[in-house]
Amino acid sequence: MPIAAIDTLKVSHKLQSAGMPRKQAEAVAEAMAETVEDRAGKDAVKEAVETLGRAVDKRFTALESKVDHQGAAIQRLEQGQTELRTEMNERLSGIESLLSKILDGQAVLHQNDMELKRRLDERKP
């Protein structure tokens, strides 16, 4: 924002033409110029602070978006891990059940073998 400027010479001449003494007119014109410059400087600082605030807000919003995106990705990974664990547990249960059946089958075969051997022993003279 450009700093406003007052033509102090022009203001001073107008005040003098309205009947104000020269020294007083020059002092009033200088005071007006300083006031306008101070106000313009304050406005410039205010505008700079507001611009910086908007830039910070924009950056913060972008960071929040990244954090939300990463949070969603982590949540998807955790869900995938949970599903994988569930599937692995189901398959392990199936394997345990199959091994149990195999062992039961071996026990039955062993009993049958023992029974067959006993019968064969009984037939021997």
Side-chain angles (χ1 to χ4, degrees), residues 49-98:
V49 168
E50 288 172 353
T51 300
L52 180 61
R54 286 189 297 273
V56 168
D57 286 346
K58 186 177 179 181
R59 182 67 177 146
F60 186 73
T61 300
L63 289 173
E64 280 181 326
S65 177
K66 285 181 181 180
V67 167
D68 289 346
H69 180 71
Q70 289 176 348
I74 289 170
Q75 196 171 20
R76 287 191 302 273
L77 284 173
E78 289 173 345
Q79 179 64 31
Q81 287 176 339
T82 300
E83 291 171 3
L84 184 58
R85 283 188 186 113
T86 300
E87 185 177 340
M88 287 174 60
N89 286 336
E90 288 172 358
R91 289 185 181 199
L92 283 173
S93 292
I95 290 170
E96 288 173 349
S97 176
L98 184 59

Side-chain angles (χ1 to χ4, degrees), residues 8 17 23 28-29 40 68 72 74 78 89 93 115-116 122:
T8 56
S17 67
K23 285 191 178 203
V28 168
D68 289 346
I74 289 170
E78 289 173 345
N89 286 336
S93 292
E115 179 65 23
L116 186 57
E122 286 177 357

Side-chain angles (χ1 to χ4, degrees), residues 25-36:
E26 289 174 356
V28 168
E30 286 295 323
M32 287 176 59
E34 288 175 9
T35 300
V36 169

Side-chain angles (χ1 to χ4, degrees), residues 98-117:
L98 184 59
L99 286 173
S100 177
K101 289 177 183 176
I102 289 172
L103 290 174
D104 289 347
Q106 283 181 332
V108 169
L109 286 175
H110 181 70
Q111 286 176 347
N112 288 345
D113 284 347
M114 297 302 287
E115 179 65 23
L116 186 57
K117 188 175 185 182

